Amino acid sequence: MPSRTCSHSPSGFGKSLPEQGLLLLVVLVLLEGSVLPLGAASSPDVSHQDDSHNHKVADHGVNATKKVFPVLDVDYHHIQTPFEISLWVLLASLMKLGFHLIPRLSSIVPESCLLIVVGLLVGGLIKLAGEQVPPVLDSRLFFLCLLPPIILDAGYFLPIRPFMENVGTILMFAVVGTVWNAFFVGGLLYAVCQIQPANPSSLHSIELLHCLLFGSIISAVDPVAVLAVFEEIHINELLHILVFGESLLNDAVTVVLYHLFVEYAGVGTVTVMDGFLGVISFLVVALGGVLVGAIYGILAAFTSRFTSHTRVIEPLFVFVYSYMAYLSAEMFHLSGIMALIACGAVMRPYVEANISHKSHTTIKYFLKMWSSVSETLIFIFLGVATVDGPHSWNWTFVTVTVILCLVARVIGVVGLTYIINKFRIVKLTTKDQFIVAYGGLRGAIAFSLGFLLDQNQFAHRKMFLTAIITVIFFTVFVQGMTIKPLVELLAVKKKQEAKRSINEEIHTQFLDHLLTGIEDICGHYGHHHWKDKLNRFNKKYVKKCLIAGERSKEPQLIAFYHKMEMKQAIELVESGGGVKLPSAVPSTVSMQNIQPKKPPPAKAAERALPQLPKGREEEIRKILRSNLQRTRQRLRSYNRHTLVADPYEDGFSDLLIKKQKMIELEKKIKEMNNYLTVPAAPPDSPTMCRARLASGRDTDFKPAQQQKGNKICPDPQAYSMKPVSDSVPVIQVDLASPQSPDSVNVMDEFRRANQEEDQGLMMKPPQGSSGSNKPGEADTTRDQQRLMRCLSDPGPSADEDEDEPFLP
Amino acid sequence: MGASQTRSEHKYQDLMDKTGFSVEQIKNLHKRFEQLSGNEETISRENLENIPALANNPIRRQIIGAFFDKRNQHQNEVGSFEEIGFEQFLMVMSHFRPPTLKTTEEERETMRKEKLRFLFNMHDTDNDGTITLEEYRKAVEELLSKSGAIGQEGAKAIADAAMLEVASTNVPHMAPDDFYEGITFEHFEQILKGLEMESRMHIRFLDVDTTTMRCGRSTS
């Protein structure tokens, strides 16, 4: 299968997307032509020497002979390393891009497989060109640069709730399962090596400890591979967190076993004491990693408390603190992965409450971007390293390893589930067990660990590496490609795509309290009770220290509500800011439909009375107040450390939100008119509307206006006009103030935008004027542009309210 | 002694059939019941209100209310008890049983319905089959009652938004003059589809007797 894909994919590019294929080819050629001959071989050295010689000559030339000043100079060596790195990244990104452009390919073959194939191709080309393959999957590079972004991404966006609910199961799989796998594979492998009589001598000489070391390297499920495959199959939350959580947490076990066996492989004997120390070491490595991570996480949260004036560097803190946590943990040989996970998970709730919405988006995008590039690079490098690596193929060893890995995994999962199910309330079904067992993919971490082995100490390093690569390829290709059809075949529950609704959030919280309450009534303190205690402690002390201002007191539900509102507003803006209601489903239901109608419709007289629901009144007031705030914010000057409002970004979106608000306001006024029997201004006369808004207190309307209003809302009851009583001016006090030019402009702007085009607010010339390059017309457009800019540019971003645009 | 023993065994058997608990679980719960009621036959609201751990629960009133709600006894009765016996107590508790591996799909479905009905009844205080906006607001207010002023301000907006969401998912097209009376049980089911109630809404009922441990903790 691999070879087929291998031969097909380039032609596939060529056929379906000629330009794309061409581009990729160009990149390949470029790599081939420029990086490798120059980079790896001796030529750059020569050029460099030449170059330094030139410099020397030039230096001397000042007082000696004068040389011609080099107009164009080539100094490749100067930029070699970053240039090559960039080329690799570019290659990786283009590949990723390419796969998603080819229809149907990405739905059949997992991306990870394709990337490995690309790596194989690139490696092969390098080999063909007779060059030395750069040591791409160097362990330092892998562990210090490529791995952390992926793990941080996983840790920061770790779904805490399912993780904590299943933490026992996950730990069981991660710790006991991995130890079992390591010893089972290592032990049996040793046995097989001893049994085989016809074997060429090499296998006999292998030591037990070496086998166990190999077992511990090969037994750990790899988070990178699991992520890559599981992201595509959209499996339900429980299974995802089980496999993924295991792959993250088994790092501590792997680290300890690895160091233990490397240590004792030199000595040759292991005593009980050593085993005991190993257990202690495991606890230290795991808990120490978590502790280091948590400390940095809290530090990050605490730092983010004070960033409200320098929003631009907010995301940086998240990255740097996490990386520091990883490095610090690695420094003590603690589990860096666990440190990163802990750091991300600890800091996230507090950091998110502190930073601005834009910073949050930035963090999200950066993490996703880094992790996906890292992942792509890892798989490509895996392919390259396969071509390059020193191989020593031994049929027995490799086959036995693959089979043992599978058997160990299945036995481990089934056996452990049997034990775990005794304690779990939601039991794991056979299907679940199968997916957990089948999802145990191995990946680049194992390869890197194998690569780290010392050739002198481990004579079988080459064979180990070959076997590791084979197992990785087997799991990634065979299991990775078949898991998706199997999931469909077994009808394993899939992840629900729908985003969380506010009702679900309410009931999640409700359920938490309910279950805590029931547990308390039952009188035994279970999971919910302790969670509740922890929550209360968090709310009472931790949040106060780590979250700035009011938000520390904000209950989770309200925070969720704000977030949801924010999201809806953004969706609204992206969708063009139509009159569509901010809800997932386009519907015509509005607040009016669910508000209990206070005046019974039968009594016309009562209905005519202005019975404004309090909620609406409040909303209108809020809308108007937020409009007013604009005026204040315009006066700020440019500052390098704040994000400048780009009219396409801030101003535009603000304007759209504002526009939406105006539409809503309009609708509300109309609705109010239904109640108040006050005529609304026709939608195409801003001045009148403004006048009416401005003279809110003046309730004597002219009959002409009234008739116009009646045309719009032909409510028969609207005819019975009544003098407005006292309760109305409460709103109008606020209505009276938007005489400020800003809000009026917005109103005008909104109208004009509606007349032109729905997206017409952007600073492009109106579509009617075709030849806008002519000076005469350009003038008018510029005028309009200037006007628009003036209207749409609210100055530097309004940091105070960007988190909560709805609640001033 | 022997006679009473068999009598209670017999009674337990009856309860087991009704509620699905095991003997050990029933025994444990019975001990707790006696502890709460002060060795009385029945339990009153005050008994439950006096549980110290419940004091901080924002929805304490609703939880206690649910125990005294006749709708949760599966007997098609409406109204509320003044005091409940052990059987009623157990019936309410049985809503929080987890599904097992042997539970069939249909059983899961009924289980889910029962659990959802329990929640629905907690919200639907006047038992008219719908959760009106007023009732929903009350519930959310209650839920946020421990979070001070911010909670009270936010509660109404959240309840309104939630109601709007229910209305727009279930009745997507409404004329401006239509009125959405409230959440019916079907709509309630619909909106909470994603929560997987049957596996979510459960607590661990202890099989083994841990009275001594419990006493030690609950007094502290």
Side-chain angles (χ1 to χ4, degrees):
Chain A
M1 196 62 186
S3 63
R4 225 186 65 191
T5 339
C6 166
S7 61
H8 269 257
S9 58
S11 62
F13 291 145
K15 255 183 256 162
S16 62
L17 292 158
E19 317 99 280
Q20 187 62 33
L22 204 67
L23 198 62
L24 293 178
L25 275 181
V26 166
V27 172
L28 285 181
V29 169
L30 202 67
L31 263 176
E32 188 60 26
S34 65
V35 186
L36 307 155
L38 290 174
S42 55
S43 49
D45 290 9
V46 175
S47 76
H48 184 62
Q49 275 172 4
D50 278 355
D51 196 55
S52 57
H53 185 68
N54 278 350
H55 275 298
K56 239 184 241 165
V57 171
D59 283 346
H60 284 295
V62 177
N63 39 19
T65 55
K66 190 177 178 190
K67 236 193 131 192
V68 182
F69 184 77
V71 180
L72 183 65
D73 199 7
V74 180
D75 183 4
Y76 178 70
H77 194 81
H78 181 58
I79 53 135
Q80 187 192 357
T81 320
F83 189 76
E84 281 175 18
I85 291 171
S86 313
L87 266 181
W88 278 115
V89 173
L90 186 69
L91 171 78
S93 317
L94 283 177
M95 286 301 147
K96 213 176 169 73
L97 203 71
F99 296 145
H100 288 278
L101 284 178
I102 300 171
R104 277 177 297 133
L105 183 64
S106 56
S107 63
I108 303 167
V109 190
E111 212 179 271
S112 45
C113 302
L114 289 172
L115 290 171
I116 290 184
V117 171
V118 169
L120 289 173
L121 280 179
V122 173
L125 284 177
I126 297 173
K127 269 255 157 108
L128 272 183
E131 300 295 341
Q132 191 195 346
V133 179
V136 276
L137 210 57
D138 175 328
S139 297
R140 273 178 66 86
L141 171 76
F142 177 75
F143 282 112
L144 295 186
C145 301
L146 293 178
L147 193 57
I150 298 176
I151 304 299
L152 178 61
D153 178 45
Y156 193 76
F157 294 106
L158 189 75
I160 306 272
R161 184 184 274 267
F163 183 81
M164 289 316 282
E165 275 169 9
N166 296 298
V167 76
T169 313
I170 293 171
L171 276 177
M172 192 84 170
F173 279 133
V175 178
V176 184
T178 308
V179 171
W180 153 260
N181 269 357
F183 280 93
F184 184 83
V185 173
L188 279 188
L189 207 54
Y190 177 68
V192 168
C193 290
Q194 297 304 309
I195 286 169
Q196 185 65 263
N199 228 9
S201 61
S202 70
L203 279 188
H204 280 290
S205 64
I206 201 161
E207 282 173 51
L208 176 62
L209 277 175
H210 290 198
C211 271
L212 288 177
L213 173 66
F214 176 75
S216 70
I217 291 174
I218 201 71
S219 60
V221 177
D222 187 79
V224 183
V226 166
L227 263 184
V229 169
F230 272 59
E231 291 234 310
E232 290 179 19
I233 59 174
H234 303 295
I235 203 143
N236 68 63
E237 210 176 30
L238 173 71
L239 285 181
H240 186 269
I241 200 68
L242 282 186
V243 179
F244 181 53
E246 180 198 342
S247 73
L248 290 174
L249 296 194
N250 64 20
D251 178 59
V253 182
T254 316
V255 167
V256 171
L257 284 181
Y258 181 80
H259 285 295
L260 206 68
F261 288 130
V262 168
E263 193 75 29
Y264 296 134
V267 183
T269 52
V270 186
T271 60
V272 180
M273 187 61 190
D274 293 333
F276 179 68
L277 283 180
V279 174
I280 300 278
S281 158
F282 162 72
L283 289 178
V284 169
V285 165
L287 297 179
V290 171
L291 189 72
V292 168
I295 290 173
Y296 275 101
I298 289 170
L299 274 178
F302 190 68
T303 313
S304 74
R305 205 192 144 149
F306 304 102
T307 53
S308 57
H309 299 294
T310 34
R311 291 280 192 210
V312 264
I313 51 168
E314 262 171 355
L316 199 64
F317 284 119
V318 171
F319 305 138
V320 172
Y321 273 116
S322 318
Y323 195 49
M324 296 273 282
Y326 181 78
L327 293 181
S328 309
E330 286 287 306
M331 183 170 71
F332 296 106
H333 280 296
L334 301 176
S335 165
I337 290 184
M338 285 180 98
L340 259 186
I341 298 284
C343 184
V346 164
M347 76 162 83
R348 186 182 182 200
Y350 310 112
V351 166
E352 274 194 358
N354 280 329
I355 63 175
S356 73
H357 185 79
K358 272 177 207 145
S359 302
H360 173 63
T361 314
T362 312
I363 291 174
K364 200 166 84 186
Y365 270 79
F366 256 85
L367 281 180
K368 293 286 171 213
M369 186 185 77
W370 271 337
S371 64
S372 78
V373 167
S374 276
E375 188 191 284
T376 315
L377 278 177
I378 286 175
F379 282 116
I380 288 186
F381 285 175
L382 209 57
V384 175
T386 306
V387 175
D388 170 48
H391 288 298
S392 149
W393 183 269
N394 183 316
W395 273 105
T396 328
F397 193 79
V398 169
T399 343
V400 169
T401 308
V402 172
I403 292 170
L404 280 181
C405 274
L406 290 178
V407 171
R409 178 83 189 156
V410 171
I411 296 178
V413 168
V414 172
L416 285 176
T417 325
Y418 180 75
I419 302 169
I420 292 165
N421 263 353
K422 287 203 187 306
F423 299 96
R424 277 185 73 89
I425 290 180
V426 184
K427 315 281 188 208
L428 293 179
T429 61
T430 324
K431 274 185 209 168
D432 295 341
Q433 293 174 36
F434 176 76
I435 295 294
V436 171
Y438 207 73
L441 307 176
R442 315 301 205 274
I445 291 185
F447 179 81
S448 278
L449 284 178
F451 202 78
L452 266 181
L453 292 177
D454 186 9
Q455 176 69 50
N456 298 327
Q457 196 184 352
F458 301 94
H460 298 285
R461 177 172 177 259
K462 283 183 191 169
M463 194 175 71
F464 284 177
L465 273 181
T466 311
I468 289 172
I469 284 181
T470 318
V471 172
I472 292 174
F473 275 36
F474 181 82
T475 55
V476 170
F477 278 96
V478 178
Q479 287 174 229
M481 277 163 85
T482 49
I483 195 166
K484 200 170 182 182
L486 276 172
V487 164
E488 312 252 318
L489 198 71
L490 291 173
V492 180
K493 225 192 291 171
K494 292 274 191 97
K495 191 169 75 183
Q496 273 130 354
E497 292 298 333
K499 57 179 181 167
R500 278 177 92 69
S501 68
I502 180 103
N503 278 297
E504 286 182 3
E505 182 67 22
I506 290 175
H507 280 91
T508 311
Q509 304 256 326
F510 193 83
L511 211 58
D512 278 347
H513 290 301
L514 174 63
L515 294 179
T516 314
I518 297 293
E519 264 186 1
D520 289 337
I521 289 178
C522 279
H524 42 77
Y525 300 118
H527 183 96
H528 298 285
H529 179 84
W530 295 112
K531 205 168 88 181
D532 191 58
K533 279 247 159 101
L534 195 69
N535 268 342
R536 204 161 293 147
F537 173 78
N538 184 17
K539 206 180 280 170
K540 218 168 174 183
Y541 305 105
V542 186
K543 274 193 174 174
K544 250 183 211 139
C545 297
L546 297 182
I547 299 178
E550 280 297 291
R551 300 198 70 171
S552 62
K553 288 184 225 120
E554 202 171 58
Q556 208 185 334
L557 188 56
I558 293 187
F560 176 84
Y561 177 64
H562 287 166
K563 231 189 262 173
M564 198 187 73
E565 270 190 324
M566 191 75 193
K567 223 184 267 171
Q568 283 175 350
I570 289 169
E571 269 168 27
L572 203 93
V573 169
E574 279 168 355
S575 69
V579 197
K580 206 182 80 182
L581 267 171
S583 72
V585 199
S587 76
T588 56
V589 186
S590 70
M591 233 18 232
Q592 195 190 355
N593 295 111
I594 64 163
Q595 288 285 357
K597 279 183 186 160
K598 283 191 182 137
K603 291 185 197 167
E606 248 180 72
R607 164 131 194 234
L609 280 179
Q611 291 262 355
L612 250 191
K614 264 217 137 124
R616 195 171 302 164
E617 188 185 310
E618 188 65 31
E619 271 171 74
I620 295 173
R621 206 176 295 167
K622 262 183 217 159
I623 291 166
L624 291 170
R625 211 179 295 148
S626 63
N627 272 338
L628 275 182
Q629 279 186 345
R630 292 285 145 208
T631 350
R632 268 187 289 139
Q633 288 153 1
R634 299 181 77 181
L635 299 171
R636 283 222 224 129
S637 59
Y638 172 78
N639 180 351
R640 196 167 58 86
H641 298 293
T642 52
L643 294 166
V644 191
D646 179 359
Y648 285 93
E649 288 277 321
D650 299 41
F652 181 53
S653 59
D654 279 350
L655 200 66
L656 277 175
I657 290 172
K658 224 185 281 175
K659 177 177 154 189
Q660 171 65 18
K661 278 179 183 164
M662 293 318 287
I663 293 169
E664 271 175 5
L665 179 64
E666 190 91 358
K667 267 177 73 186
K668 278 188 179 121
I669 291 169
K670 253 193 229 168
E671 279 171 26
M672 248 193 311
N673 289 342
N674 274 342
Y675 285 106
L676 301 177
T677 70
V678 168
D684 54 346
S685 72
T687 38
M688 204 166 293
C689 183
R690 193 199 323 157
R692 206 171 56 77
L693 275 172
S695 64
R697 212 180 288 270
D698 184 10
T699 44
D700 290 338
F701 286 97
K702 292 178 192 101
Q705 270 182 326
Q706 192 190 345
Q707 274 178 4
K708 267 186 188 171
N710 286 338
K711 259 182 233 157
I712 301 155
C713 43
D715 185 354
Q717 281 162 354
Y719 287 107
S720 60
M721 184 173 155
K722 284 215 161 198
V724 182
S725 72
D726 293 344
S727 63
V728 180
V730 178
I731 321 151
Q732 287 168 343
V733 173
D734 276 296
L735 283 174
S737 31
Q739 269 176 334
S740 63
D742 191 19
S743 69
V744 171
N745 283 346
V746 167
M747 190 85 102
D748 286 345
E749 174 66 28
F750 149 55
R751 306 244 174 240
R752 185 142 40 85
N754 255 9
Q755 283 162 9
E756 285 173 15
E757 256 302 68
D758 53 346
Q759 299 265 350
L761 311 183
M762 286 192 288
M763 290 177 38
K764 60 185 177 197
Q767 286 164 359
S769 59
S770 53
S772 57
N773 286 338
K774 291 176 204 164
E777 278 182 18
D779 238 336
T780 52
T781 25
R782 199 178 312 131
D783 260 6
Q784 273 181 339
Q785 275 181 2
R786 196 190 309 141
L787 185 60
M788 278 183 202
R789 178 189 285 276
C790 149
L791 293 170
S792 63
D793 186 352
S797 74
D799 278 334
E800 294 89 357
D801 70 335
E802 77 176 13
D803 284 339
E804 309 168 342
F806 291 94
L807 296 181
Chain B
M1 184 65 198
S4 72
Q5 188 74 34
T6 49
R7 199 170 58 86
S8 71
E9 286 290 324
H10 181 69
K11 199 179 143 211
Y12 281 162
Q13 189 61 47
D14 199 33
L15 288 175
M16 271 167 70
D17 295 340
K18 261 190 193 160
T19 59
F21 284 118
S22 71
V23 185
E24 288 82 14
Q25 286 170 338
I26 294 180
K27 274 183 186 160
N28 268 328
L29 284 172
H30 198 187
K31 274 199 194 102
R32 178 66 178 169
F33 184 81
E34 282 171 345
Q35 194 188 343
L36 287 177
S37 62
N39 288 327
E40 297 284 326
E41 278 296 301
T42 57
I43 223 169
S44 67
R45 280 172 194 269
E46 285 74 45
N47 291 137
L48 291 185
E49 273 160 15
N50 286 337
I51 300 174
L54 266 187
N56 281 322
N57 205 316
I59 55 168
R60 180 174 72 147
R61 207 184 50 77
Q62 281 165 293
I63 294 175
I64 294 176
F67 273 88
F68 295 90
D69 194 331
K70 283 185 181 164
R71 283 174 295 171
N72 291 334
Q73 303 293 339
H74 298 299
Q75 274 154 353
N76 294 325
E77 283 181 64
V78 180
S80 65
F81 295 106
E82 282 306 307
E83 294 192 321
I84 50 167
F86 181 56
E87 192 185 328
Q88 281 88 22
F89 181 74
L90 217 55
M91 281 304 271
V92 175
M93 282 297 181
S94 72
H95 286 95
F96 296 92
R97 277 192 319 116
T100 58
L101 264 184
K102 290 179 206 101
T103 336
T104 59
E105 274 309 308
E106 296 96 69
E107 278 174 327
R108 267 175 178 269
E109 193 53 33
T110 38
M111 212 162 184
R112 200 170 68 89
K113 281 232 162 79
E114 268 173 26
K115 285 170 195 269
L116 279 172
R117 178 61 82 174
F118 186 88
L119 281 183
F120 186 81
N121 287 345
M122 280 179 94
H123 294 321
D124 181 20
T125 42
D126 61 358
N127 188 37
D128 61 351
T130 55
I131 303 172
T132 58
L133 185 62
E134 287 299 311
E135 283 168 338
Y136 209 7
R137 276 185 188 165
K138 193 97 187 97
V140 177
E141 242 167 60
E142 197 96 17
L143 185 62
L144 292 168
S145 58
K146 292 282 174 202
S147 31
I150 309 179
Q152 291 315 303
E153 282 168 25
K156 219 164 70 70
I158 291 173
D160 289 357
M163 199 69 175
L164 195 61
E165 192 184 83
V166 181
S168 50
T169 32
N170 287 303
V171 197
H173 298 289
M174 272 181 132
D177 284 340
D178 287 348
F179 175 55
Y180 186 74
E181 274 111 17
I183 309 168
T184 60
F185 184 65
E186 284 71 37
H187 292 178
F188 192 68
E189 246 186 306
Q190 185 65 27
I191 51 166
L192 296 184
K193 215 170 42 186
L195 277 188
E196 296 180 1
M197 271 304 161
E198 70 273 18
S199 55
R200 202 82 168 272
M201 186 169 144
H202 62 75
I203 66 164
R204 187 181 292 273
F205 289 101
L206 296 180
D207 275 328
V208 285
D209 189 12
T210 51
T211 332
T212 46
M213 206 174 87
R214 248 171 25 213
C215 285
R217 275 209 199 128
S218 59
T219 47
S220 64

